[in-house]
mmCIF file of all heavy atoms in Angstrom:
data_model
loop_
_atom_site.group_PDB
_atom_site.id
_atom_site.type_symbol
_atom_site.label_atom_id
_atom_site.label_comp_id
_atom_site.label_asym_id
_atom_site.label_seq_id
_atom_site.Cartn_x
_atom_site.Cartn_y
_atom_site.Cartn_z
ATOM 1 N N ALA A 1 12.840 -46.033 91.761
ATOM 2 C CA ALA A 1 11.663 -46.622 91.154
ATOM 3 C C ALA A 1 10.499 -46.645 92.147
ATOM 4 O O ALA A 1 9.369 -46.421 91.736
ATOM 5 C CB ALA A 1 12.042 -48.033 90.691
ATOM 6 N N ALA A 2 10.734 -46.887 93.421
ATOM 7 C CA ALA A 2 9.749 -46.964 94.332
ATOM 8 C C ALA A 2 9.116 -45.560 94.619
ATOM 9 O O ALA A 2 7.953 -45.424 94.620
ATOM 10 C CB ALA A 2 10.209 -47.462 95.679
ATOM 11 N N LEU A 3 9.905 -44.464 94.717
ATOM 12 C CA LEU A 3 9.423 -43.081 94.932
ATOM 13 C C LEU A 3 8.634 -42.761 93.586
ATOM 14 O O LEU A 3 7.579 -42.029 93.789
ATOM 15 C CB LEU A 3 10.614 -42.177 95.090
ATOM 16 C CG LEU A 3 11.182 -42.298 96.528
ATOM 17 C CD1 LEU A 3 12.652 -41.649 96.500
ATOM 18 C CD2 LEU A 3 10.415 -41.812 97.633
ATOM 19 N N GLU A 4 9.110 -43.067 92.463
ATOM 20 C CA GLU A 4 8.306 -42.831 91.291
ATOM 21 C C GLU A 4 6.981 -43.564 91.297
ATOM 22 O O GLU A 4 5.887 -43.050 90.769
ATOM 23 C CB GLU A 4 9.186 -43.228 89.947
ATOM 24 C CG GLU A 4 8.422 -42.667 88.656
ATOM 25 C CD GLU A 4 9.259 -43.027 87.523
ATOM 26 O OE1 GLU A 4 10.357 -43.767 87.669
ATOM 27 O OE2 GLU A 4 8.851 -42.502 86.415
ATOM 28 N N GLY A 5 7.081 -44.869 91.569
ATOM 29 C CA GLY A 5 5.844 -45.691 91.612
ATOM 30 C C GLY A 5 4.896 -45.188 92.647
ATOM 31 O O GLY A 5 3.589 -45.277 92.288
ATOM 32 N N ASN A 6 5.304 -44.600 93.550
ATOM 33 C CA ASN A 6 4.418 -43.896 94.663
ATOM 34 C C ASN A 6 4.059 -42.466 94.287
ATOM 35 O O ASN A 6 3.473 -41.836 95.213
ATOM 36 C CB ASN A 6 4.950 -44.087 96.039
ATOM 37 C CG ASN A 6 4.810 -45.501 96.631
ATOM 38 O OD1 ASN A 6 3.718 -46.026 96.797
ATOM 39 N ND2 ASN A 6 5.861 -46.209 96.920
ATOM 40 N N GLN A 7 4.437 -42.086 93.241
ATOM 41 C CA GLN A 7 4.058 -40.735 92.725
ATOM 42 C C GLN A 7 4.714 -39.655 93.572
ATOM 43 O O GLN A 7 4.032 -38.514 93.681
ATOM 44 C CB GLN A 7 2.616 -40.582 92.467
ATOM 45 C CG GLN A 7 2.297 -41.618 91.380
ATOM 46 C CD GLN A 7 0.648 -41.571 91.240
ATOM 47 O OE1 GLN A 7 -0.105 -40.939 91.995
ATOM 48 N NE2 GLN A 7 0.181 -42.393 90.177
ATOM 49 N N ILE A 8 5.863 -39.764 94.101
ATOM 50 C CA ILE A 8 6.518 -38.872 95.032
ATOM 51 C C ILE A 8 7.491 -38.033 94.153
ATOM 52 O O ILE A 8 7.805 -36.929 94.463
ATOM 53 C CB ILE A 8 7.056 -39.588 96.306
ATOM 54 C CG1 ILE A 8 6.069 -40.055 97.114
ATOM 55 C CG2 ILE A 8 7.973 -38.590 97.073
ATOM 56 C CD1 ILE A 8 6.453 -41.040 98.201
ATOM 57 N N ILE A 9 8.063 -38.688 93.235
ATOM 58 C CA ILE A 9 8.951 -38.099 92.290
ATOM 59 C C ILE A 9 8.509 -38.440 90.856
ATOM 60 O O ILE A 9 7.701 -39.336 90.589
ATOM 61 C CB ILE A 9 10.375 -38.433 92.507
ATOM 62 C CG1 ILE A 9 10.600 -40.004 92.206
ATOM 63 C CG2 ILE A 9 10.900 -38.059 93.869
ATOM 64 C CD1 ILE A 9 12.116 -40.312 92.148
ATOM 65 N N ARG A 10 8.928 -37.687 89.841
ATOM 66 C CA ARG A 10 8.849 -38.037 88.436
ATOM 67 C C ARG A 10 10.146 -38.039 87.769
ATOM 68 O O ARG A 10 11.046 -37.255 88.127
ATOM 69 C CB ARG A 10 7.941 -36.925 87.832
ATOM 70 C CG ARG A 10 6.461 -37.141 88.138
ATOM 71 C CD ARG A 10 5.566 -36.456 87.029
ATOM 72 N NE ARG A 10 4.243 -36.491 87.610
ATOM 73 C CZ ARG A 10 3.576 -35.327 87.946
ATOM 74 N NH1 ARG A 10 4.109 -34.174 87.832
ATOM 75 N NH2 ARG A 10 2.416 -35.384 88.385
ATOM 76 N N LYS A 11 10.299 -38.869 86.780
ATOM 77 C CA LYS A 11 11.518 -39.010 85.968
ATOM 78 C C LYS A 11 11.120 -38.446 84.516
ATOM 79 O O LYS A 11 10.149 -38.642 83.931
ATOM 80 C CB LYS A 11 11.878 -40.501 85.824
ATOM 81 C CG LYS A 11 13.068 -40.756 85.027
ATOM 82 C CD LYS A 11 13.602 -42.105 85.100
ATOM 83 C CE LYS A 11 12.798 -43.128 84.439
ATOM 84 N NZ LYS A 11 13.490 -44.525 84.415
ATOM 85 N N TYR A 12 12.072 -37.578 84.124
ATOM 86 C CA TYR A 12 12.046 -36.982 82.858
ATOM 87 C C TYR A 12 13.343 -37.304 82.066
ATOM 88 O O TYR A 12 14.397 -37.300 82.684
ATOM 89 C CB TYR A 12 11.830 -35.506 82.858
ATOM 90 C CG TYR A 12 10.522 -35.117 83.503
ATOM 91 C CD1 TYR A 12 10.460 -34.954 84.981
ATOM 92 C CD2 TYR A 12 9.365 -34.980 82.705
ATOM 93 C CE1 TYR A 12 9.299 -34.411 85.401
ATOM 94 C CE2 TYR A 12 8.248 -34.514 83.251
ATOM 95 C CZ TYR A 12 8.141 -34.311 84.625
ATOM 96 O OH TYR A 12 6.947 -34.006 85.298
ATOM 97 N N SER A 13 13.275 -37.367 80.681
ATOM 98 C CA SER A 13 14.507 -37.336 79.954
ATOM 99 C C SER A 13 15.103 -36.023 79.940
ATOM 100 O O SER A 13 14.396 -35.067 79.815
ATOM 101 C CB SER A 13 14.164 -37.753 78.575
ATOM 102 O OG SER A 13 13.734 -39.189 78.422
ATOM 103 N N ASP A 14 16.361 -35.982 80.022
ATOM 104 C CA ASP A 14 17.209 -34.738 79.943
ATOM 105 C C ASP A 14 17.156 -34.296 78.571
ATOM 106 O O ASP A 14 17.580 -35.080 77.668
ATOM 107 C CB ASP A 14 18.595 -35.025 80.537
ATOM 108 C CG ASP A 14 19.367 -33.654 80.554
ATOM 109 O OD1 ASP A 14 18.986 -32.739 80.044
ATOM 110 O OD2 ASP A 14 20.482 -33.803 81.223
ATOM 111 N N ILE A 15 16.631 -33.124 78.292
ATOM 112 C CA ILE A 15 16.637 -32.579 76.904
ATOM 113 C C ILE A 15 18.000 -32.231 76.255
ATOM 114 O O ILE A 15 18.074 -32.234 75.045
ATOM 115 C CB ILE A 15 15.679 -31.309 76.887
ATOM 116 C CG1 ILE A 15 16.174 -30.172 77.754
ATOM 117 C CG2 ILE A 15 14.220 -31.730 77.183
ATOM 118 C CD1 ILE A 15 15.439 -28.841 77.524
ATOM 119 N N THR A 16 18.942 -32.176 77.132
ATOM 120 C CA THR A 16 20.345 -31.801 76.660
ATOM 121 C C THR A 16 21.092 -33.245 76.467
ATOM 122 O O THR A 16 22.150 -33.163 75.702
ATOM 123 C CB THR A 16 21.069 -30.931 77.602
ATOM 124 O OG1 THR A 16 21.266 -31.640 78.859
ATOM 125 C CG2 THR A 16 20.342 -29.713 77.791
ATOM 126 N N ASN A 17 20.624 -34.286 77.065
ATOM 127 C CA ASN A 17 21.235 -35.571 76.853
ATOM 128 C C ASN A 17 20.214 -36.624 77.125
ATOM 129 O O ASN A 17 19.825 -37.002 78.137
ATOM 130 C CB ASN A 17 22.477 -35.774 77.900
ATOM 131 C CG ASN A 17 23.051 -36.998 77.900
ATOM 132 O OD1 ASN A 17 22.600 -37.985 77.166
ATOM 133 N ND2 ASN A 17 24.069 -37.166 78.743
ATOM 134 N N GLY A 18 19.726 -37.131 75.958
ATOM 135 C CA GLY A 18 18.603 -38.033 75.904
ATOM 136 C C GLY A 18 18.862 -39.420 76.714
ATOM 137 O O GLY A 18 17.852 -40.191 77.035
ATOM 138 N N ARG A 19 20.175 -39.712 76.864
ATOM 139 C CA ARG A 19 20.485 -40.849 77.662
ATOM 140 C C ARG A 19 20.285 -40.735 79.052
ATOM 141 O O ARG A 19 20.338 -41.793 79.893
ATOM 142 C CB ARG A 19 21.819 -41.487 77.229
ATOM 143 C CG ARG A 19 22.048 -41.771 75.742
ATOM 144 C CD ARG A 19 23.361 -42.191 75.408
ATOM 145 N NE ARG A 19 24.303 -41.145 76.045
ATOM 146 C CZ ARG A 19 25.553 -41.146 75.847
ATOM 147 N NH1 ARG A 19 26.220 -42.136 75.271
ATOM 148 N NH2 ARG A 19 26.371 -40.079 76.323
ATOM 149 N N ARG A 20 20.207 -39.450 79.584
ATOM 150 C CA ARG A 20 20.172 -39.233 80.961
ATOM 151 C C ARG A 20 18.817 -38.935 81.387
ATOM 152 O O ARG A 20 17.931 -38.244 80.741
ATOM 153 C CB ARG A 20 21.235 -38.167 81.275
ATOM 154 C CG ARG A 20 21.269 -37.683 82.660
ATOM 155 C CD ARG A 20 22.503 -36.759 82.822
ATOM 156 N NE ARG A 20 22.066 -35.551 82.835
ATOM 157 C CZ ARG A 20 22.524 -34.469 83.410
ATOM 158 N NH1 ARG A 20 23.747 -34.566 84.140
ATOM 159 N NH2 ARG A 20 22.027 -33.353 83.501
ATOM 160 N N SER A 21 18.467 -39.363 82.556
ATOM 161 C CA SER A 21 17.141 -39.037 83.233
ATOM 162 C C SER A 21 17.314 -38.026 84.391
ATOM 163 O O SER A 21 18.301 -38.010 85.044
ATOM 164 C CB SER A 21 16.410 -40.222 83.752
ATOM 165 O OG SER A 21 16.088 -41.134 82.696
ATOM 166 N N LEU A 22 16.446 -37.240 84.582
ATOM 167 C CA LEU A 22 16.317 -36.247 85.515
ATOM 168 C C LEU A 22 15.155 -36.496 86.408
ATOM 169 O O LEU A 22 14.160 -36.786 85.985
ATOM 170 C CB LEU A 22 16.426 -34.933 85.120
ATOM 171 C CG LEU A 22 17.497 -34.385 84.191
ATOM 172 C CD1 LEU A 22 17.404 -32.931 83.744
ATOM 173 C CD2 LEU A 22 18.893 -34.567 84.872
ATOM 174 N N TYR A 23 15.268 -36.338 87.890
ATOM 175 C CA TYR A 23 14.265 -36.641 88.766
ATOM 176 C C TYR A 23 13.807 -35.232 89.496
ATOM 177 O O TYR A 23 14.591 -34.367 89.766
ATOM 178 C CB TYR A 23 14.752 -37.442 89.772
ATOM 179 C CG TYR A 23 15.195 -38.820 89.242
ATOM 180 C CD1 TYR A 23 16.525 -39.054 88.844
ATOM 181 C CD2 TYR A 23 14.228 -39.950 89.102
ATOM 182 C CE1 TYR A 23 16.787 -40.334 88.156
ATOM 183 C CE2 TYR A 23 14.577 -41.026 88.503
ATOM 184 C CZ TYR A 23 15.799 -41.251 88.061
ATOM 185 O OH TYR A 23 16.099 -42.443 87.395
ATOM 186 N N TYR A 24 12.438 -35.209 89.480
ATOM 187 C CA TYR A 24 11.807 -34.096 90.179
ATOM 188 C C TYR A 24 10.695 -34.421 91.160
ATOM 189 O O TYR A 24 10.140 -35.517 90.837
ATOM 190 C CB TYR A 24 11.217 -33.183 89.048
ATOM 191 C CG TYR A 24 12.284 -32.374 88.175
ATOM 192 C CD1 TYR A 24 12.681 -33.078 86.960
ATOM 193 C CD2 TYR A 24 12.738 -31.242 88.464
ATOM 194 C CE1 TYR A 24 13.655 -32.473 86.157
ATOM 195 C CE2 TYR A 24 13.725 -30.638 87.636
ATOM 196 C CZ TYR A 24 14.195 -31.216 86.664
ATOM 197 O OH TYR A 24 15.091 -30.617 85.732
ATOM 198 N N LEU A 25 10.483 -33.681 92.109
ATOM 199 C CA LEU A 25 9.459 -33.856 93.016
ATOM 200 C C LEU A 25 8.121 -33.637 92.482
ATOM 201 O O LEU A 25 7.908 -32.744 91.663
ATOM 202 C CB LEU A 25 9.606 -32.833 94.174
ATOM 203 C CG LEU A 25 10.841 -33.051 95.102
ATOM 204 C CD1 LEU A 25 11.108 -31.866 95.976
ATOM 205 C CD2 LEU A 25 10.824 -34.368 95.891
ATOM 206 N N THR A 26 7.092 -34.379 92.817
ATOM 207 C CA THR A 26 5.663 -34.195 92.470
ATOM 208 C C THR A 26 5.046 -33.163 93.572
ATOM 209 O O THR A 26 5.828 -32.994 94.513
ATOM 210 C CB THR A 26 4.905 -35.349 92.398
ATOM 211 O OG1 THR A 26 5.008 -36.025 93.654
ATOM 212 C CG2 THR A 26 5.448 -36.318 91.253
ATOM 213 N N GLN A 27 3.840 -32.945 93.414
ATOM 214 C CA GLN A 27 3.204 -32.141 94.486
ATOM 215 C C GLN A 27 3.251 -32.968 95.759
ATOM 216 O O GLN A 27 3.408 -32.509 96.874
ATOM 217 C CB GLN A 27 1.853 -31.787 94.182
ATOM 218 C CG GLN A 27 1.087 -30.979 95.357
ATOM 219 C CD GLN A 27 1.818 -29.696 95.542
ATOM 220 O OE1 GLN A 27 2.065 -28.865 94.559
ATOM 221 N NE2 GLN A 27 2.195 -29.426 96.776
ATOM 222 N N LYS A 28 3.083 -34.183 95.613
ATOM 223 C CA LYS A 28 3.031 -35.281 96.876
ATOM 224 C C LYS A 28 4.440 -35.182 97.455
ATOM 225 O O LYS A 28 4.494 -35.217 98.768
ATOM 226 C CB LYS A 28 2.677 -36.707 96.274
ATOM 227 C CG LYS A 28 2.415 -37.760 97.332
ATOM 228 C CD LYS A 28 2.014 -39.015 96.600
ATOM 229 C CE LYS A 28 1.653 -40.110 97.565
ATOM 230 N NZ LYS A 28 1.321 -41.322 96.819
ATOM 231 N N GLY A 29 5.448 -35.121 96.645
ATOM 232 C CA GLY A 29 6.807 -34.961 97.213
ATOM 233 C C GLY A 29 7.119 -33.685 97.913
ATOM 234 O O GLY A 29 7.716 -33.634 98.925
ATOM 235 N N ILE A 30 6.655 -32.644 97.305
ATOM 236 C CA ILE A 30 6.821 -31.237 97.904
ATOM 237 C C ILE A 30 6.109 -31.155 99.217
ATOM 238 O O ILE A 30 6.521 -30.594 100.088
ATOM 239 C CB ILE A 30 6.328 -30.209 96.887
ATOM 240 C CG1 ILE A 30 7.346 -30.131 95.707
ATOM 241 C CG2 ILE A 30 6.283 -28.775 97.698
ATOM 242 C CD1 ILE A 30 6.862 -29.276 94.500
ATOM 243 N N ASP A 31 4.979 -31.850 99.353
ATOM 244 C CA ASP A 31 4.182 -31.876 100.520
ATOM 245 C C ASP A 31 4.868 -32.672 101.650
ATOM 246 O O ASP A 31 4.559 -32.391 102.909
ATOM 247 C CB ASP A 31 2.889 -32.456 100.395
ATOM 248 C CG ASP A 31 1.812 -31.491 99.610
ATOM 249 O OD1 ASP A 31 2.147 -30.298 99.461
ATOM 250 O OD2 ASP A 31 0.868 -32.041 99.046
ATOM 251 N N LEU A 32 6.020 -33.295 101.395
ATOM 252 C CA LEU A 32 6.774 -33.774 102.473
ATOM 253 C C LEU A 32 7.928 -32.875 103.040
ATOM 254 O O LEU A 32 8.555 -33.315 104.038
ATOM 255 C CB LEU A 32 7.537 -35.033 101.935
ATOM 256 C CG LEU A 32 6.591 -36.185 101.679
ATOM 257 C CD1 LEU A 32 7.363 -37.343 100.825
ATOM 258 C CD2 LEU A 32 6.194 -36.845 103.031
ATOM 259 N N VAL A 33 8.087 -31.705 102.515
ATOM 260 C CA VAL A 33 8.997 -30.682 102.960
ATOM 261 C C VAL A 33 8.793 -30.545 104.501
ATOM 262 O O VAL A 33 9.785 -30.546 105.236
ATOM 263 C CB VAL A 33 8.871 -29.440 102.190
ATOM 264 C CG1 VAL A 33 9.757 -28.251 102.943
ATOM 265 C CG2 VAL A 33 9.496 -29.610 100.870
ATOM 266 N N PRO A 34 7.629 -30.214 105.028
ATOM 267 C CA PRO A 34 7.510 -30.048 106.445
ATOM 268 C C PRO A 34 7.950 -31.188 107.316
ATOM 269 O O PRO A 34 8.597 -31.074 108.315
ATOM 270 C CB PRO A 34 6.007 -29.730 106.752
ATOM 271 C CG PRO A 34 5.411 -29.382 105.412
ATOM 272 C CD PRO A 34 6.270 -30.180 104.353
ATOM 273 N N VAL A 35 7.742 -32.379 106.860
ATOM 274 C CA VAL A 35 8.217 -33.662 107.568
ATOM 275 C C VAL A 35 9.721 -33.739 107.571
ATOM 276 O O VAL A 35 10.184 -33.991 108.638
ATOM 277 C CB VAL A 35 7.594 -34.898 106.926
ATOM 278 C CG1 VAL A 35 8.140 -36.201 107.514
ATOM 279 C CG2 VAL A 35 6.067 -34.887 106.832
ATOM 280 N N VAL A 36 10.333 -33.553 106.450
ATOM 281 C CA VAL A 36 11.726 -33.543 106.368
ATOM 282 C C VAL A 36 12.318 -32.492 107.199
ATOM 283 O O VAL A 36 13.380 -32.761 107.922
ATOM 284 C CB VAL A 36 12.257 -33.651 104.960
ATOM 285 C CG1 VAL A 36 13.684 -33.442 104.830
ATOM 286 C CG2 VAL A 36 11.716 -34.783 104.104
ATOM 287 N N LEU A 37 11.957 -31.317 107.207
ATOM 288 C CA LEU A 37 12.532 -30.136 108.028
ATOM 289 C C LEU A 37 12.225 -30.501 109.528
ATOM 290 O O LEU A 37 13.172 -30.216 110.273
ATOM 291 C CB LEU A 37 11.818 -28.913 107.613
ATOM 292 C CG LEU A 37 12.363 -28.219 106.335
ATOM 293 C CD1 LEU A 37 11.494 -27.031 105.950
ATOM 294 C CD2 LEU A 37 13.827 -27.839 106.452
ATOM 295 N N GLU A 38 11.203 -31.000 109.838
ATOM 296 C CA GLU A 38 10.902 -31.344 111.333
ATOM 297 C C GLU A 38 11.890 -32.426 111.765
ATOM 298 O O GLU A 38 12.328 -32.389 112.816
ATOM 299 C CB GLU A 38 9.415 -31.792 111.541
ATOM 300 C CG GLU A 38 8.453 -30.609 111.458
ATOM 301 C CD GLU A 38 8.510 -29.654 112.633
ATOM 302 O OE1 GLU A 38 9.304 -29.847 113.485
ATOM 303 O OE2 GLU A 38 7.945 -28.523 112.518
ATOM 304 N N LEU A 39 12.119 -33.465 110.830
ATOM 305 C CA LEU A 39 13.030 -34.486 111.221
ATOM 306 C C LEU A 39 14.418 -33.919 111.410
ATOM 307 O O LEU A 39 15.217 -34.242 112.410
ATOM 308 C CB LEU A 39 13.131 -35.589 110.189
ATOM 309 C CG LEU A 39 11.997 -36.584 110.259
ATOM 310 C CD1 LEU A 39 11.995 -37.455 109.036
ATOM 311 C CD2 LEU A 39 12.038 -37.506 111.487
ATOM 312 N N MET A 40 14.838 -33.010 110.572
ATOM 313 C CA MET A 40 16.163 -32.393 110.755
ATOM 314 C C MET A 40 16.259 -31.633 111.997
ATOM 315 O O MET A 40 17.308 -31.573 112.680
ATOM 316 C CB MET A 40 16.503 -31.560 109.610
ATOM 317 C CG MET A 40 16.679 -32.098 108.215
ATOM 318 S SD MET A 40 17.115 -30.847 107.005
ATOM 319 C CE MET A 40 16.871 -31.625 105.443
ATOM 320 N N HIS A 41 15.189 -30.783 112.137
ATOM 321 C CA HIS A 41 15.177 -29.952 113.371
ATOM 322 C C HIS A 41 15.221 -30.819 114.658
ATOM 323 O O HIS A 41 15.895 -30.542 115.632
ATOM 324 C CB HIS A 41 13.974 -29.091 113.365
ATOM 325 C CG HIS A 41 13.797 -28.314 114.687
ATOM 326 N ND1 HIS A 41 14.628 -27.308 114.925
ATOM 327 C CD2 HIS A 41 12.929 -28.265 115.737
ATOM 328 C CE1 HIS A 41 14.223 -26.678 116.043
ATOM 329 N NE2 HIS A 41 13.234 -27.439 116.550
ATOM 330 N N TRP A 42 14.495 -31.844 114.724
ATOM 331 C CA TRP A 42 14.344 -32.762 115.881
ATOM 332 C C TRP A 42 15.761 -33.222 116.157
ATOM 333 O O TRP A 42 16.165 -33.352 117.339
ATOM 334 C CB TRP A 42 13.423 -33.914 115.571
ATOM 335 C CG TRP A 42 13.278 -34.993 116.657
ATOM 336 C CD1 TRP A 42 12.699 -34.843 117.822
ATOM 337 C CD2 TRP A 42 13.860 -36.246 116.548
ATOM 338 N NE1 TRP A 42 12.825 -36.050 118.509
ATOM 339 C CE2 TRP A 42 13.632 -36.871 117.768
ATOM 340 C CE3 TRP A 42 14.669 -36.987 115.600
ATOM 341 C CZ2 TRP A 42 14.037 -38.205 117.879
ATOM 342 C CZ3 TRP A 42 15.038 -38.210 115.760
ATOM 343 C CH2 TRP A 42 14.735 -38.785 117.045
ATOM 344 N N MET A 43 16.550 -33.733 115.151
ATOM 345 C CA MET A 43 17.852 -34.354 115.458
ATOM 346 C C MET A 43 18.834 -33.159 115.887
ATOM 347 O O MET A 43 19.675 -33.466 116.820
ATOM 348 C CB MET A 43 18.375 -35.090 114.285
ATOM 349 C CG MET A 43 19.708 -35.705 114.422
ATOM 350 S SD MET A 43 19.876 -36.725 116.010
ATOM 351 C CE MET A 43 18.622 -37.859 115.775
ATOM 352 N N SER A 44 18.642 -32.044 115.299
ATOM 353 C CA SER A 44 19.632 -30.997 115.829
ATOM 354 C C SER A 44 19.288 -30.580 117.206
ATOM 355 O O SER A 44 20.261 -30.093 117.804
ATOM 356 C CB SER A 44 19.458 -29.791 114.785
ATOM 357 O OG SER A 44 18.251 -29.015 115.089
ATOM 358 N N VAL A 45 18.124 -30.683 117.782
ATOM 359 C CA VAL A 45 17.807 -30.292 119.165
ATOM 360 C C VAL A 45 18.509 -31.525 119.997
ATOM 361 O O VAL A 45 19.000 -31.050 121.079
ATOM 362 C CB VAL A 45 16.294 -30.419 119.377
ATOM 363 C CG1 VAL A 45 15.995 -30.255 120.887
ATOM 364 C CG2 VAL A 45 15.717 -29.162 118.687
ATOM 365 N N TYR A 46 18.394 -32.732 119.541
ATOM 366 C CA TYR A 46 18.804 -33.739 120.522
ATOM 367 C C TYR A 46 20.278 -34.285 120.240
ATOM 368 O O TYR A 46 20.804 -35.133 120.968
ATOM 369 C CB TYR A 46 17.940 -34.915 120.525
ATOM 370 C CG TYR A 46 16.576 -34.515 121.146
ATOM 371 C CD1 TYR A 46 15.414 -34.162 120.370
ATOM 372 C CD2 TYR A 46 16.475 -34.442 122.508
ATOM 373 C CE1 TYR A 46 14.264 -33.689 120.994
ATOM 374 C CE2 TYR A 46 15.306 -34.143 123.067
ATOM 375 C CZ TYR A 46 14.204 -33.741 122.387
ATOM 376 O OH TYR A 46 13.124 -33.230 122.934
ATOM 377 N N ASN A 47 20.927 -33.809 119.096
ATOM 378 C CA ASN A 47 22.254 -34.304 118.898
ATOM 379 C C ASN A 47 23.132 -33.127 118.352
ATOM 380 O O ASN A 47 22.811 -32.565 117.224
ATOM 381 C CB ASN A 47 22.305 -35.349 117.832
ATOM 382 C CG ASN A 47 23.630 -35.987 117.797
ATOM 383 O OD1 ASN A 47 24.680 -35.236 117.865
ATOM 384 N ND2 ASN A 47 23.754 -37.172 117.178
ATOM 385 N N PRO A 48 23.873 -32.464 119.172
ATOM 386 C CA PRO A 48 24.666 -31.366 118.749
ATOM 387 C C PRO A 48 25.602 -31.549 117.634
ATOM 388 O O PRO A 48 26.054 -30.508 117.052
ATOM 389 C CB PRO A 48 25.397 -31.012 120.201
ATOM 390 C CG PRO A 48 25.489 -32.098 120.897
ATOM 391 C CD PRO A 48 24.282 -32.944 120.536
#
């Protein structure tokens, strides 16, 4: 809910099952890819 409220993700109804929701990244969420990859890389450098 918080990620959706901050427009980082969007929720859509699943067209194959109307009771289920699916979550997708917005452009704002996709723009976080470098941050997430850098965090992963940083930890891999300092923790084998």
Side-chain angles (χ1 to χ4, degrees):
L3 289 168
E4 185 180 11
N6 282 304
Q7 300 174 351
I8 296 170
I9 64 171
R10 283 200 189 112
K11 178 169 75 170
Y12 295 91
S13 291
D14 185 346
I15 57 172
T16 63
N17 178 354
R19 297 178 308 179
R20 186 169 94 153
S21 294
L22 302 176
Y23 297 90
Y24 291 89
L25 297 165
T26 61
Q27 183 62 54
K28 190 174 179 179
I30 292 170
D31 286 342
L32 286 167
V33 165
V35 175
V36 173
L37 283 171
E38 287 291 351
L39 281 170
M40 288 182 196
H41 176 71
W42 174 77
M43 184 47 62
S44 71
V45 167
Y46 291 101
N47 188 337

